[in-house]
Amino acid sequence: MISNMLDEIYHVNEKTGFLCRYIKSDTERFAPHYHNYYEIFLMLRGDAKHIVNDTEHILTPGNLLFIRDFDCHEYIRQNNETFDFINLAFKKREFESMCGYLGENFNADSLLSTEQPPVVLLTESEKSKVYFSLSELINTDDSALVKIKFKKLLLDLFTSYFINYKPSKEYIPLWLEVTYEKMKKPRNFISGTEKMYEISGKSREHLSRSMKKYYNTTPTEYISDLRLNYCANLLISSNLPVTDICYECGFDNLSWFYKIFCKKYNMPPGQYRKEHVWQRSQ
């Protein structure tokens, strides 16, 4: 990949040590590049193909990435759709200063030594919180105040979302990680495997192989487990009849539901409800 080096002289504010920008794909030209500073960016809207260090990932809203000075990357539209993200570029010394403040218990090496840039997927509430914090950096004119806000935010981001980051021995493709996380939403796992294939954008065979390889389960087993967890919560938190809960959670066979519920929890749904409701009342 032929790439350009972006210099902090032109892309980072010398006074504050950072520059925060809202970026829209329909007004920005992207090309392969790397830089002599660090970046954190948060995907806000739309999906994007992110090619970084010769590896392709799909970014979706809620992805928070830490880009190092050696990461060579570019962004490409998915299906010609637009995407937005908010980007925080900052001097390496700011990161080093934060690491010094956190001390030896903060393992910066785990963030700087991986082949692929650290990435996490935020919940909707986390995404909104980070977005508004980043927006404050754009909308504050007082340079002294904004520098304090930046340092606080940098500390919050790394201690909240990256402090326990541990790269896996075998990198999980981001499309699969996103699919895995999105399927945790009730509306998705209730819809079943067809929804999982749709979200992944992959064939049944590809998704099944990848789930087995990286998560040691199948799409059917994963969805079934999510449904059972949801059933268990409804048994405790609602007064719905067991039959209604079975169908509410996406199961269409009552006897099968009883069988796999008993296998997972070592008791039938009715007994599970009685025991856990009784425990809560004590």
Side-chain angles (χ1 to χ4, degrees), residues 92-159:
K92 293 170 62 176
R93 73 180 186 218
E94 299 295 340
F95 178 80
E96 292 163 359
S97 175
M98 180 197 71
C99 292
Y101 173 77
L102 292 174
E104 60 183 15
N105 290 326
F106 179 69
N107 188 7
D109 288 343
S110 66
L111 301 176
L112 299 175
S113 61
T114 57
E115 181 180 346
Q116 296 298 319
V119 55
V120 294
L121 183 63
L122 306 185
T123 65
E124 192 62 35
S125 60
E126 289 172 335
K127 174 190 162 191
S128 297
K129 177 184 176 183
V130 173
Y131 168 68
F132 285 117
S133 295
L134 288 166
S135 298
E136 274 196 284
L137 300 183
I138 299 175
N139 299 321
T140 304
D141 296 326
D142 186 328
S143 60
L145 176 60
V146 79
K147 189 166 184 177
I148 293 173
K149 288 180 177 290
F150 158 69
K151 288 181 178 293
K152 179 181 181 299
L153 176 58
L154 200 66
L155 189 66
D156 287 344
L157 292 177
F158 279 99
T159 56

Side-chain angles (χ1 to χ4, degrees), residues 7-236:
D7 197 302
E8 66 177 30
I9 296 174
Y10 306 104
H11 297 276
V12 179
N13 186 306
E14 180 63 32
K15 288 184 178 179
T16 61
F18 76 90
L19 184 65
C20 193
R21 296 193 304 137
Y22 192 106
I23 297 174
K24 300 173 70 69
S25 61
D26 53 355
T27 61
E28 194 99 2
R29 180 180 177 275
F30 302 107
H33 66 277
Y34 63 101
H35 19 70
N36 59 359
Y37 52 89
Y38 293 154
E39 284 182 341
I40 282 181
F41 69 85
L42 173 66
M43 289 293 294
L44 299 174
R45 183 179 65 86
D47 296 346
K49 184 184 295 184
H50 190 217
I51 302 176
V52 54
N53 302 334
D54 296 321
T55 302
E56 180 182 305
H57 310 288
I58 302 301
L59 299 180
T60 61
N63 281 142
L64 184 71
L65 282 81
F66 172 42
I67 302 294
R68 296 75 55 91
D69 56 337
F70 57 84
D71 291 320
C72 180
H73 65 137
E74 68 172 316
Y75 315 92
I76 299 175
R77 290 185 182 185
Q78 276 283 94
N79 303 319
N80 206 33
E81 295 181 0
T82 60
F83 59 88
D84 301 349
F85 62 92
I86 191 164
N87 179 278
L88 177 64
F90 53 96
K91 290 178 176 287
K92 293 170 62 176
R93 73 180 186 218
E94 299 295 340
F95 178 80
E96 292 163 359
S97 175
M98 180 197 71
C99 292
Y101 173 77
L102 292 174
E104 60 183 15
N105 290 326
F106 179 69
N107 188 7
D109 288 343
S110 66
L111 301 176
L112 299 175
S113 61
T114 57
E115 181 180 346
Q116 296 298 319
V119 55
V120 294
L121 183 63
L122 306 185
T123 65
E124 192 62 35
S125 60
E126 289 172 335
K127 174 190 162 191
S128 297
K129 177 184 176 183
V130 173
Y131 168 68
F132 285 117
S133 295
L134 288 166
S135 298
E136 274 196 284
L137 300 183
I138 299 175
N139 299 321
T140 304
D141 296 326
D142 186 328
S143 60
L145 176 60
V146 79
K147 189 166 184 177
I148 293 173
K149 288 180 177 290
F150 158 69
K151 288 181 178 293
K152 179 181 181 299
L153 176 58
L154 200 66
L155 189 66
D156 287 344
L157 292 177
F158 279 99
T159 56
S160 296
Y161 306 114
F162 293 111
I163 194 166
N164 292 320
Y165 181 79
K166 294 180 180 178
S168 59
K169 293 181 180 178
E170 191 165 16
Y171 187 79
I172 299 174
L174 193 55
W175 68 265
L176 180 60
E177 185 178 351
V178 169
T179 301
Y180 189 87
E181 292 298 324
K182 283 190 173 182
M183 285 306 297
K184 291 179 180 179
K185 296 180 179 180
R187 67 173 181 269
N188 291 333
F189 64 68
I190 289 172
S191 297
T193 53
E194 291 300 325
K195 187 65 176 180
M196 194 170 188
Y197 299 136
E198 177 188 329
I199 291 172
S200 72
K202 307 297 181 182
S203 68
R204 294 171 179 265
E205 295 75 14
H206 190 175
L207 177 60
S208 296
R209 284 196 305 270
S210 298
M211 283 291 290
K212 197 66 178 176
K213 177 180 180 180
Y214 294 105
Y215 292 108
N216 195 32
T217 189
T218 67
T220 300
E221 290 169 344
Y222 179 53
I223 290 170
S224 180
D225 195 57
L226 290 171
R227 288 173 171 176
L228 287 173
N229 290 337
Y230 192 49
C231 285
N233 287 331
L234 287 178
L235 286 168
I236 299 171

